[in-house]
Amino acid sequence: MEQKKYWKGLEELHNTDAHQEIVKNEFSEELPFESEGLLNATTPRRDFLKYLGFTTAAATIAASCETPIKKAIPYVNKPEEITPGVANYYASSYTIDGEYLPLLVKTREGRPIKIEGNTSSSITGGATTAKSQGAVLSLYDVARLRFPTIGGNETTWTELDKQVSAALAGLGGAPVVLLSTTLLSPTTKKVIGEFLAKYPNSRHVVYDAVSYSGMLDANQASFGKRVIPSYHFENAQTVVNLGADFLGTWLNPAEYSKQFAATRKINAKNPEMSKHFVFESHMSLSGANADYRYTHKPSETGKVALALLAAVNGNAVSGVDGKLAEGVKKAAAELKKTAGKSLVVSGSNDVNVQIIVNAINNAVGAYGATIDLANPSNYRQGSDAEMVKLVSDMNAGSIGAVLVYGANPAYDYFDAAKFSEGLKKVKLTVSFNDRVDETTELCKFAAPDHHFLESWNDAEGKPGYYSFVQPTIAPLFKTRAIQDTLLTWAGNTTQWVDYLKNEWIAKLGGAEAWDKVLQDGIVEPATAPAMGGGSFSGDVAAATAKIGGVKGGKYEVVLYEKVSIGNGRLANNPWLQEMPDPITRATWDNYACVSNTLAKTFSTELGDDYEINAEKKVLKITANGKTVELPLLILPGMHPEVIAIAVGYGRSEKTGKAAGGIGKNAYPFVSYNGQNFDYFAPAEAPVATGAKYPLGLTQTHNSYEGRPIIKETTLDEFKANPKEVNEDREELLKFGKDFRKDATLYPSFSYPGIKWGMSIDLNTCFGCGACTIACQAENNVSVVGKEEVVKAHEMHWLRIDRYFSGDENNPEVVFQPMLCQHCDNAPCENVCPVGATNHSSEGINQMAYNRCIGTRYCANNCPYKVRRLNWRDWNGADSFENNLYDVADMNDNLTRMVLNPDVVVRSRGVMEKCSFCVQRLQDAKLTAKKAGRPMKDGEAKTACQQACAADAIVFGNVNDKNSAIYKIRNEEQTERMYYVLEETHVLPSINYLAKIRNKDAEPKAEKEAAHKEEAHHA
């Protein structure tokens, strides 16, 4: 197996002086002594002891102080369904902006605190995303509207209904428009239809901030159906991806991650896997998980699609050259080779590009095999042309009323100023949005809807596939369901909950069936409907001609969504803001991603050490006549003449503390091409402004100093010799026949009962970050804010390390989740002066928080760098007054309702880390004990394991020979299984499975040359 060099950034690749300095100085700042000159004093030891004596005395005084008494009020009439200390679970659904995820919501004492996937869903199989995991925090957002308003002033629902009804009656026949994002609820659409039916010429306009209208229109032109088909990645042996980040943000990534992962699971007995080609302009999550990846300008997407169609049809490739042409030919050959099991997807919103993609899929037999047109998806329904017409009609004064639900075009419409001007000409403006966002601020009436965790609703992800939404908590504020509001204004006295219930009782045939589906959370066909294709009739010649007219530029801006923030609707979520971006590892901002080649043209100062420094140079970027200034972030894998910017930032201050003033709004760079919105634009040459701006990056520290931690090989090499991946482990035999027990000073632990262990498959860890947010929600992990992240004080117990290898201009990427390894020979345990670190009888490396005094010896001794010190009092857990360090209202009494009562809240100066979700393990053992039986494999799941859409994490009792973890280690994956830094003899309890790429092995000569080059850099 080739031994590749892995690097987190260019500074590590080239082993610069600044990188060496960071490696040498493990902690990135000086200890916070009270006196600057303390260590320079003539008697530093005496002064140190004096300061130490003072701090010890202060701590003693504080500990003896009387802490405030917080009275607990018992239930006078306890709700029947609530037992203190016992969690309840309710089925619900996450359907924001058309993303379809059936869920289970965990509540404690009536508070929703954690979201899990509903494994009963055949569409998602229990998968979740970072956004859906973080949605529970949005329930407790202090920036939510707490009451209805008229002209920005609080009012009552009675008064609002009175004034709106009068305004509707006085429209004089002018049309009413309900403007919403994609809605998946058929019953809500029925209510909307009944309301609009009262007003002539009224209509429902669907607008998505990140549009898929081009795909919908292309399918209308190609098959006569304006739908998005169901994609089946699990059936595909070859996937060719033209800029569709289906593992990150495209349509329904949880569903596709689950499907795609099924084709990437591999062992020596079944050495087969899919092949993934990606053609894109910037490094996306899907691109990072490609077997073959090629870059091009966004304006060239159509040319790549045309070249691929030509190659698939056996014609000469034109319009592209060099490596891009080679990639097109290679991808086309694989598509033809696996015809009937091939799939091409595109993230373009250009109807003509999508028609060409449809033609390719038709040529390789995808329809009815990997693409299902008979059972389409409802995930996006917006129409760009209808939205543009609405804005035009508003400005012409021909619209009587605009009612906005979920949409925020005053922020994310490409010509927000024109929309805002048009809205001023509308007689009646109402917003149902949950906060004073940019659009709500312009509306006279605000009638805030409930959060979905307070609501009743249904959702239809695909025809016949339904899930349900039910309240998991009583409404926290004086909000009202939009459906109740519309029913009231339509003169219907039926309550929304009864309306919904009656609809479904009629469909299901009885109240008992309704109760059953609420419990299950889903209704699906008894047998999956047959897949179907369609007769392709797209005008390829016309599409080809229009693609030829697309204008590019020397430089181009491309817009993308981040996995965490998405289109910006959830921007006021501190968990999601602080989640490191999977690719850039940056938090709390957007920025201009450029290649190292382009960066060095702005300044000779931009060397390989640039990424180590938090202070970034600011670029002035101009495109479409709009200008924005953003910090420059060097990102390997970028096309050398492309600038990539994330949307969803630059929100209004009224949106909330976490979102307001963070980053810059990139939506003004969007343009309308006459049919659809384009999310790229030719740009002027970027200009360095001379200013600097700090970015909070999380991967410029924690170095392994060159020690091998990633193992990977190619599929062909693995087939030829599966044992080659772990040849280096044979070196351990020189230490004795039993590596675990021989030649060690550590005591020999025995685990007669349970011994917990975890396995992480690098082949199916796509780096999405859902596990990171799940861990944060489950374990009360603190939000520290950008300033502390800049100081390397981030608190996440589980991080996903991103490593590059190979060509720095187009590198390969590996993601590796890294958490406490729960070592049997834990080097952290024997250095703690107060015995706060200890080892359990079940193999868990434990922390006694109230013993810890924050020496950080354990962190210094940990080779994995997975321990975190509470530098501040993030949670109000200590007894010092005015010591609370609040970030984005995370310590507001409302926000604290999200805390898990099963996990202690840690105070300042305490070391913390992964606990294998010990509270979940205890709960699973107790459940089995109460049932009078042994615990079953799979009953105890860590939060990260349960959140993973790709099932990359397996956890269980390694002493149970029937457990999945035992079988992985001893039967199924003996060839791929390894431990990180195994040679240090710390005996970790977490193993990894080596990465396998389905690509051609490098020729021997090229491999030797690459090794020489890497050795030179080292």
Side-chain angles (χ1 to χ4, degrees):
M1 183 187 75
E2 57 178 300
Q3 183 55 53
K4 304 171 77 172
K5 179 178 175 63
Y6 295 91
W7 36 282
K8 296 181 179 181
L10 296 170
E11 73 287 343
E12 184 174 8
L13 172 64
H14 299 136
N15 199 25
T16 62
D17 292 342
H19 172 68
Q20 293 177 38
E21 187 66 22
I22 276 194
V23 170
K24 185 171 68 175
N25 298 323
E26 180 177 351
F27 300 115
S28 62
E29 71 295 304
E30 298 295 327
L31 289 172
F33 289 125
E34 298 295 324
S35 170
E36 277 189 355
L38 181 60
L39 293 182
N40 296 323
T42 52
T43 54
R45 181 172 175 273
R46 182 182 301 170
D47 287 349
F48 178 77
L49 292 174
K50 179 175 68 177
Y51 274 80
L52 179 65
F54 167 76
T55 53
T56 305
T60 305
I61 293 167
S64 62
C65 288
E66 201 171 303
T67 56
I69 297 172
K70 296 182 180 179
K71 294 182 179 178
I73 302 173
Y75 287 115
V76 177
N77 295 304
K78 183 181 77 67
E80 183 181 349
E81 70 275 11
I82 293 179
T83 302
V86 177
N88 286 343
Y89 291 84
Y90 298 92
S92 188
S93 303
Y94 178 90
T95 61
I96 295 175
D97 295 325
E99 197 170 328
Y100 178 76
L101 291 174
L103 304 174
L104 294 179
V105 182
K106 178 183 179 181
T107 67
R108 280 293 302 270
E109 289 73 57
R111 296 179 295 116
I113 62 170
K114 183 70 175 65
I115 280 174
E116 310 291 359
N118 188 340
T119 55
S120 299
S121 169
S122 64
I123 293 178
T124 61
T128 60
T129 61
K131 287 192 293 185
S132 61
Q133 286 287 336
V136 67
L137 183 62
S138 298
L139 170 66
Y140 305 112
D141 187 347
V142 300
R144 285 177 59 198
L145 261 172
R146 305 189 177 207
F147 39 72
T149 66
I150 299 176
N153 301 313
E154 182 178 357
T155 188
T156 64
W157 283 105
T158 302
E159 180 62 23
L160 184 138
D161 291 342
K162 177 182 174 184
Q163 291 199 27
V164 170
S165 296
L168 286 167
L171 291 178
V176 174
V177 174
L178 192 141
L179 174 64
S180 78
T181 57
T182 292
L183 303 179
L184 297 185
S185 169
T187 313
T188 296
K189 287 181 180 178
K190 184 177 180 183
V191 170
I192 291 171
E194 290 178 5
F195 167 75
L196 292 177
K198 292 189 63 179
Y199 305 97
N201 303 315
S202 296
R203 64 188 190 267
H204 178 193
V205 174
V206 180
Y207 160 73
D208 294 316
V210 177
S211 175
Y212 290 76
S213 181
M215 183 186 295
L216 290 160
D217 295 343
N219 289 331
Q220 175 72 57
S222 300
F223 304 103
K225 296 174 16 177
R226 195 176 188 275
V227 296
I228 288 177
S230 292
Y231 293 95
H232 288 272
F233 289 86
E234 77 276 17
N235 295 340
Q237 290 182 6
T238 302
V239 176
V240 176
N241 181 347
L242 307 182
D245 190 10
F246 65 88
L247 297 176
T249 57
W250 190 71
L251 290 174
N252 205 30
E255 175 187 0
Y256 303 144
S257 294
K258 177 77 74 175
Q259 294 175 353
F260 186 64
T263 72
R264 309 294 283 185
K265 295 185 183 297
I266 182 174
N267 56 42
K269 294 178 182 176
N270 180 32
E272 300 297 332
M273 59 188 285
S274 63
K275 188 169 286 189
H276 184 202
F277 293 84
V278 173
F279 298 84
E280 61 184 6
S281 305
H282 71 286
M283 181 70 81
S284 70
L285 195 63
S286 297
N289 285 282
D291 296 308
Y292 293 95
R293 180 179 178 273
Y294 306 90
T295 61
H296 58 81
K297 290 183 178 180
S299 62
E300 296 172 340
T301 302
K303 293 179 181 178
V304 173
L306 287 170
L308 189 61
L309 177 61
V312 164
N313 288 330
N315 299 321
V317 169
S318 62
V320 295
D321 53 23
K323 289 184 178 179
L324 196 55
E326 292 174 16
V328 167
K329 292 173 185 175
K330 186 183 286 285
E334 289 294 331
L335 286 172
K336 290 195 287 185
K337 181 180 172 183
T338 59
K341 294 184 178 180
S342 295
L343 173 61
V344 182
V345 291
S346 171
S348 173
N349 194 44
D350 188 316
V351 62
N352 301 300
V353 173
Q354 291 289 353
I355 287 173
I356 300 302
V357 170
N358 289 349
I360 299 169
N361 279 314
N362 187 60
V364 298
Y367 291 104
T370 58
I371 302 178
D372 186 3
L373 274 169
N375 304 283
S377 305
N378 297 325
Y379 304 149
R380 298 296 188 279
Q381 301 157 19
S383 170
D384 296 346
E386 285 188 18
M387 182 62 188
V388 170
K389 184 178 187 307
L390 170 62
V391 173
S392 177
D393 290 347
M394 286 163 53
N395 279 278
S398 61
I399 302 295
V402 172
L403 285 59
V404 183
Y405 177 34
N408 187 14
Y411 163 68
D412 52 37
Y413 185 61
F414 80 99
D415 194 349
K418 187 174 182 180
F419 173 85
S420 300
E421 284 300 312
L423 200 62
K424 293 175 184 176
K425 299 175 183 177
V426 177
K427 291 181 181 178
L428 173 61
T429 54
V430 181
S431 171
F432 300 106
N433 294 352
D434 69 339
R435 67 193 61 239
V436 185
D437 58 26
E438 292 81 353
T439 302
T440 303
E441 195 172 3
L442 302 176
C443 294
K444 181 179 180 181
F445 298 94
D449 186 24
H450 297 319
H451 188 273
F452 80 89
L453 293 175
E454 302 167 328
S455 304
W456 288 99
N457 215 338
D458 55 6
E460 187 177 22
K462 299 180 182 183
Y465 289 81
Y466 298 92
S467 64
F468 296 87
V469 180
Q470 58 182 313
T472 57
I473 190 173
L476 297 172
F477 308 128
K478 297 174 185 176
T479 53
R480 183 171 73 180
I482 178 180
Q483 298 89 348
D484 273 320
T485 300
L486 293 179
L487 286 168
T488 300
W489 296 350
N492 190 333
T493 58
T494 308
Q495 293 290 308
W496 163 239
V497 60
D498 296 325
Y499 189 102
L500 179 71
K501 183 177 178 180
N502 293 338
E503 280 286 312
W504 277 98
I505 286 176
K507 287 180 182 178
L508 298 168
E512 287 186 11
W514 165 246
D515 292 340
K516 178 71 165 59
V517 300
L518 277 185
Q519 183 178 0
D520 296 342
I522 61 167
V523 170
E524 294 186 351
T527 57
M531 292 177 62
S535 178
F536 176 75
S537 57
D539 191 340
V540 173
T544 301
K546 289 177 181 177
I547 287 171
V550 174
K551 297 287 175 66
K554 167 66 175 171
Y555 299 101
E556 294 182 17
V557 168
V558 63
L559 306 181
Y560 70 98
E561 290 181 273
K562 278 193 184 180
V563 170
S564 54
I565 299 301
N567 62 21
R569 186 161 173 181
L570 298 177
N572 199 49
N573 188 308
W575 286 350
L576 299 179
Q577 284 282 6
E578 194 155 292
M579 174 185 147
D581 181 75
I583 305 299
T584 65
R585 312 304 297 151
T587 63
W588 285 101
D589 269 298
N590 64 342
Y591 29 77
C593 295
V594 302
S595 68
N596 195 33
T597 303
L598 180 56
K600 288 184 177 179
T601 65
F602 302 129
S603 172
T604 55
E605 299 172 30
L606 291 180
D608 294 325
D609 288 336
Y610 179 73
E611 290 306 299
I612 290 178
N613 304 308
E615 295 288 333
K616 306 297 182 188
K617 289 185 176 294
V618 175
L619 287 184
K620 180 180 178 181
I621 301 159
T622 303
N624 285 348
K626 308 290 174 60
T627 298
V628 69
E629 293 185 0
L630 285 168
L632 180 159
L633 186 70
I634 297 174
L635 180 63
M638 290 288 304
H639 186 280
E641 294 172 338
V642 171
I643 304 111
I645 305 173
V647 297
Y649 291 82
R651 301 298 308 277
S652 157
E653 295 287 345
K654 292 185 179 180
T655 306
K657 278 188 181 180
I662 300 295
K664 298 292 179 64
N665 185 6
Y667 280 111
F669 287 145
V670 178
S671 61
Y672 183 62
N673 61 24
Q675 290 178 289
N676 304 105
F677 300 140
D678 282 332
Y679 293 89
F680 69 92
E684 297 178 13
V687 178
T689 65
K692 290 191 175 182
Y693 182 88
L695 288 180
L697 301 175
T698 63
Q699 206 164 332
T700 55
H701 44 280
N702 299 324
S703 172
Y704 290 95
E705 303 184 34
R707 290 177 288 187
I709 55 167
I710 298 288
K711 291 189 177 184
E712 82 171 278
T713 187
T714 65
L715 181 60
D716 288 343
E717 289 174 321
F718 184 69
K719 285 180 177 179
N721 183 9
K723 294 184 179 180
E724 186 184 13
V725 179
N726 271 326
E727 278 182 347
D728 60 326
R729 295 188 75 198
E730 295 177 7
E731 290 289 314
L732 303 177
L733 293 175
K734 67 185 180 186
F735 297 108
K737 291 183 178 179
D738 190 339
F739 180 68
R740 292 187 66 86
K741 295 179 180 178
D742 289 344
T744 179
L745 297 175
Y746 280 83
S748 179
F749 291 107
S750 63
Y751 306 99
I754 295 173
K755 170 67 165 70
W756 298 111
M758 179 179 284
S759 177
I760 300 176
D761 189 350
L762 299 185
N763 235 36
T764 52
C765 174
F766 302 137
C768 71
C771 56
T772 300
I773 303 301
C775 173
Q776 187 158 18
E778 175 69 28
N779 294 296
N780 301 334
V781 176
S782 303
V783 173
V784 303
K786 174 181 167 181
E787 291 180 9
E788 296 298 306
V789 174
V790 168
K791 297 175 184 176
H793 291 173
E794 69 270 13
M795 290 298 295
H796 292 126
W797 290 5
L798 167 62
R799 68 175 192 261
I800 302 181
D801 290 339
R802 178 266 295 125
Y803 294 97
F804 296 119
S805 64
D807 179 4
E808 66 183 69
N809 295 313
N810 186 21
E812 293 178 340
V813 183
V814 179
F815 296 102
Q816 184 180 53
M818 183 53 64
L819 59 161
C820 175
Q821 303 287 293
H822 296 274
C823 309
D824 287 342
N825 287 350
C828 57
E829 292 175 3
N830 53 20
V831 295
C832 181
V834 292
T837 54
N838 56 82
H839 212 70
S840 83
S841 61
E842 296 177 353
I844 295 178
N845 178 242
Q846 300 180 137
M847 280 294 306
Y849 292 126
N850 55 355
R851 274 192 212 161
C852 178
I853 59 173
T855 63
R856 300 192 294 173
Y857 296 161
C858 56
N860 195 45
N861 229 37
C862 174
Y864 304 100
K865 305 305 166 196
V866 287
R867 288 174 166 265
R868 303 282 178 259
L869 180 71
N870 263 323
W871 287 93
R872 298 284 184 269
D873 179 21
W874 311 115
N875 302 295
D878 67 23
S879 54
F880 288 99
E881 268 192 71
N882 303 318
N883 195 36
L884 191 61
Y885 194 90
D886 192 18
V887 176
D889 292 320
M890 281 301 295
N891 275 298
D892 189 273
N893 286 338
L894 175 66
T895 315
R896 288 172 66 87
M897 288 176 69
V898 80
L899 294 175
N900 183 357
D902 292 331
V903 179
V904 67
V905 177
R906 284 78 63 189
S907 59
R908 181 178 184 175
V910 169
M911 188 65 68
E912 58 184 71
K913 59 162 199 74
C914 163
S915 67
F916 269 166
C917 293
V918 66
Q919 68 280 2
R920 287 178 166 230
L921 311 187
Q922 294 299 105
D923 183 62
K925 289 191 289 185
L926 183 60
T927 299
K929 184 177 180 181
K930 287 192 293 186
R933 57 170 175 77
M935 187 178 62
K936 298 175 184 176
D937 183 46
E939 283 189 306
K941 287 189 174 183
T942 60
C944 56
Q945 174 192 15
Q946 195 159 3
C948 182
D951 300 318
I953 301 173
V954 175
F955 179 82
N957 177 12
V958 297
N959 285 344
D960 177 3
K961 293 187 177 182
N962 294 315
S963 67
I965 184 75
Y966 179 89
K967 290 177 180 177
I968 283 174
R969 291 185 178 180
N970 298 283
E971 299 172 16
E972 299 169 358
Q973 297 286 2
T974 55
E975 295 83 5
R976 290 175 63 209
M977 193 271 292
Y978 75 99
Y979 298 91
V980 170
L981 302 182
E982 185 175 17
E983 67 277 11
T984 61
H985 207 255
V986 295
L987 304 184
S989 293
I990 298 179
N991 70 266
Y992 293 84
L993 303 183
K995 175 89 172 177
I996 311 289
R997 291 189 194 275
N998 193 352
K999 54 171 279 191
D1000 298 335
E1002 285 186 74
K1004 189 174 181 181
E1006 289 182 19
K1007 192 186 298 186
E1008 289 175 355
H1011 290 169
K1012 286 180 181 178
E1013 178 67 17
E1014 289 173 354
H1016 171 71
H1017 286 313

